[in-house]
Amino acid sequence: MRISTGVARRRSRAVTLSTSGLLALGLVLTGCGSDGDSGTDDAAGGDKQITLRVGTFGSFGFDNKTGAKLYAEYEKLNPNIKIEETNVADGQKYWDALKLRLSQGSGLADIQAIEVGYIAEATGDAMASKWVDLGKADGADTSAFLDWKVKQATTRNDQVIALGTDIGPMGICYRKDLFEKAGLPTDREQVGQLWAGDWNKFLEQGEKYKAKAPDGTAFHDSASGLFNAVISSEPDQYSDESGKLHWEGSPGVAKAWDVAVKAAQGGLTGKLRQFDEKGTWNAAFKNSKFATVACPSWMTGIIKDQAGPANKGKWDIAQAPVPANWGGSFLAVPKAGKNTAEAAKLAAWLTAPEQQAKVFAVNGNIPSTTAGLSSEAVQNAQPEYYPGVPVGKIYSAAAQKITPAPIGRYDGQVKTFLTDNGILDIETRGTAPDKAWNNVKKLIEDKIDQ
């Protein structure tokens, strides 16, 4: 799962919050649980009832409503365990709230999800000691995961503070019916060849679509989403090998910025903000407002949920212009939780290959374990919402092409500033690119203590 976008609400180099920011954060924190309602402690064990709270953002596919019903399955296997998930749509707000709670040592869920953009901060010296070492947890097998996924969650002291839920191999999801009306091919192999090897070819197809676009539709959902897609395909992103931030001189950032600006200024996008709290982006899926969206595997579940039954069978998946990995998350257990041992067992179970395959089948979050990736359940997956589309094979093949990029402590925040305060301003307000870039630079210098 990836993080949603949102503006960090710190106003100084220190974590200083405005009154409105504290109020908003408080609402988010309420969703993260509280000390008084997290069940009994680990010493109770045995048959005593324990409530485990799981704090997430976006959609992880564990839930009993639209997900893989893993909570119900675990509760059946462990009758003394009850699981409650609290979910926050905006990932940046979720992370800000989580950091505050970690600093206070209270109000945390028993299990907290962490997006890859923040995992370097979570494993850093200031925060590493606040997590349970899941490398030693009952039921956890770190050798089951992709090596680079484990490395991302490992501290300098070799403690594994989180277990991977999924990775983000990427394709391009496209609407076959809209492509046909615009005079573009609809076969996924032919579509993939239209832009193979170059994001600028993707823009060229956007221009062709625009020339014959069905009324009220755009070629791509958002310029900021396109920025995230392009940067996810780059070996050099926000930080260098040592983890030091170097976004301003990064060739990857420069390329992603250039492609996204061209798309915004060329009128190729729907001027939407992904994961906006008003639900405008979600509604645009249902109302067929755009023909393509950069599509990590987890996006297929979002399309299913938001586009709805009326658009079932209209989406297909082509290869991305350049192999990429966008997003992917982890589950961690705060030491300050009341049920750390039971929480660690649950985190290990939720991220085991068998459970990851179940989540992929209904939510599209592709496994971060080698056995999960190679399982028949994943390889042969053809979700009902995408009839005839070999979703499992497409993303399993894309996963083999991933070359992990270095990640740093501030990557997630810098990404948010670049997209929400840079690209979005250009796209929706017509801000000049140079001015938008300088605005982002000032924000980063002001908000991040590098």
Side-chain angles (χ1 to χ4, degrees), residues 21 57 100 136 173 185 245 275 293 347 406 443 445:
F57 53 87
L100 181 60
K136 301 174 182 176
C173 289
L245 202 59
F275 300 97
V293 60
L443 269 173
E445 290 174 348

Side-chain angles (χ1 to χ4, degrees), residues 235-415:
D236 191 342
Q237 300 181 3
Y238 308 101
S239 301
D240 63 20
E241 291 285 352
S242 70
K244 184 179 179 181
L245 202 59
H246 79 146
W247 71 276
E248 203 171 356
S250 163
V253 170
K255 180 183 289 185
W257 180 272
D258 182 57
V259 171
V261 169
K262 286 180 180 176
Q265 294 188 321
L268 304 183
T269 66
K271 301 183 177 180
L272 298 163
R273 177 179 173 240
Q274 293 186 333
F275 300 97
D276 67 302
E277 292 181 314
K278 293 181 179 178
T280 307
W281 181 65
N282 288 342
F285 280 102
K286 186 175 182 179
N287 297 321
S288 304
K289 292 296 186 181
F290 51 82
T292 65
V293 60
C295 205
S297 54
W298 46 261
M299 187 70 80
T300 61
I302 292 173
I303 292 173
K304 177 198 69 174
D305 293 340
Q306 302 305 330
N311 293 308
K312 178 181 175 182
K314 295 180 180 178
W315 288 89
D316 208 322
I317 307 166
Q319 68 175 2
V322 182
N325 182 68
W326 178 4
S329 296
F330 302 83
L331 296 182
V333 176
K335 285 182 179 176
K338 288 188 174 182
N339 306 296
T340 55
E342 289 295 340
K345 289 180 189 176
L346 175 59
W349 187 84
L350 289 171
T351 56
E354 297 83 0
Q355 277 61 255
Q356 290 190 343
K358 295 170 189 172
V359 170
F360 178 73
V362 298
N363 213 53
N365 301 18
I366 200 162
S368 59
T369 56
T370 53
L373 274 172
S374 61
S375 67
E376 288 190 12
V378 171
Q379 290 289 322
N380 298 324
Q382 291 193 21
E384 186 179 344
Y385 196 79
Y386 302 88
V389 182
V391 176
K393 286 185 169 57
I394 289 171
Y395 284 113
S396 296
Q400 302 304 317
K401 300 176 182 176
I402 291 174
T403 302
I407 57 175
R409 177 181 177 183
Y410 299 111
D411 287 13
Q413 292 179 49
V414 171
K415 179 173 66 175

Side-chain angles (χ1 to χ4, degrees), residues 123-136:
T123 58
D125 292 344
M127 205 177 288
S129 64
K130 298 183 182 299
W131 307 103
V132 171
D133 182 1
L134 295 179
K136 301 174 182 176

Side-chain angles (χ1 to χ4, degrees), residues 42 52 98 102 108-112 114 119 122-124 127-140 142 150 153-155 157-164 330-348:
D42 288 333
L52 295 178
L98 176 54
L102 281 170
L108 294 152
D110 297 289
I111 294 175
Q112 298 279 179
I114 301 174
I119 194 64
T123 58
M127 205 177 288
S129 64
K130 298 183 182 299
W131 307 103
V132 171
D133 182 1
L134 295 179
K136 301 174 182 176
D138 189 7
T142 56
V150 178
T154 302
T155 70
N157 297 326
D158 292 327
Q159 295 187 5
V160 181
I161 61 102
L163 301 175
F330 302 83
L331 296 182
V333 176
K335 285 182 179 176
K338 288 188 174 182
N339 306 296
T340 55
E342 289 295 340
K345 289 180 189 176
L346 175 59

